[in-house]
Amino acid sequence: MLLFLRENIRWLGAGFAMLFASSFGQTFFISLSGGEIRRELDLSDGQFGLVYMAVTLASAFSLVWLGKLLDAKAVRSVVAMAVLALAAGQSGLPTPHRSPRWSQACFCCACSVRA
């Protein structure tokens, strides 16, 4: 067991880093900010759940495409694309001076976190 850990510490470290990095996208962000987002966008719990479910399912279905892309492209290129998708998604979130594009933002964020 220790030999396995020593030989694969790099891969195990990357796996744990991705695990913790992905938590911020949907788990922590939504659980901490869900009430404020619902209030800001005037959504009921059901409406918010419907939007959240739709973008989660859409991002899950996009994993097929992203998986094929990762098999064909270099990891560095896919990571760069994921970072750009995350930035694009974040730009769609509402601010006091801009109307929200909530579903687009959630989809981009969810896809980039899963990539």
Side-chain angles (χ1 to χ4, degrees):
M1 179 72 165
L2 290 176
L3 179 62
F4 174 80
L5 291 174
R6 271 190 231 120
E7 289 177 351
N8 296 293
I9 192 71
R10 181 175 142 197
W11 296 107
L12 292 169
F16 276 108
M18 287 189 288
L19 171 76
F20 290 116
S22 71
S23 297
F24 291 105
Q26 289 188 287
T27 307
F28 296 141
F29 174 73
I30 296 299
S31 67
L32 293 175
S33 306
E36 295 167 9
I37 292 170
R38 283 193 305 271
R39 251 189 322 279
E40 181 71 26
L41 300 176
D42 195 29
L43 296 172
S44 69
D45 288 340
Q47 290 170 323
F48 182 75
L50 181 65
V51 170
Y52 186 68
M53 177 199 64
V55 297
T56 301
L57 288 174
S59 67
F61 288 125
S62 70
L63 284 176
V64 174
W65 174 75
L66 290 172
K68 290 178 185 177
L69 184 69
L70 188 56
D71 289 341
K73 302 284 185 186
V75 173
R76 186 172 293 188
S77 301
V78 175
V79 169
M81 189 170 56
V83 169
L84 291 173
L86 183 59
Q90 293 297 324
S91 70
L93 292 175
T95 65
H97 306 291
R98 186 175 60 214
S99 63
R101 293 179 299 273
W102 175 244
S103 59
Q104 295 164 348
C106 288
F107 179 72
C108 289
C109 292
C111 285
S112 61
V113 167
R114 282 185 168 80

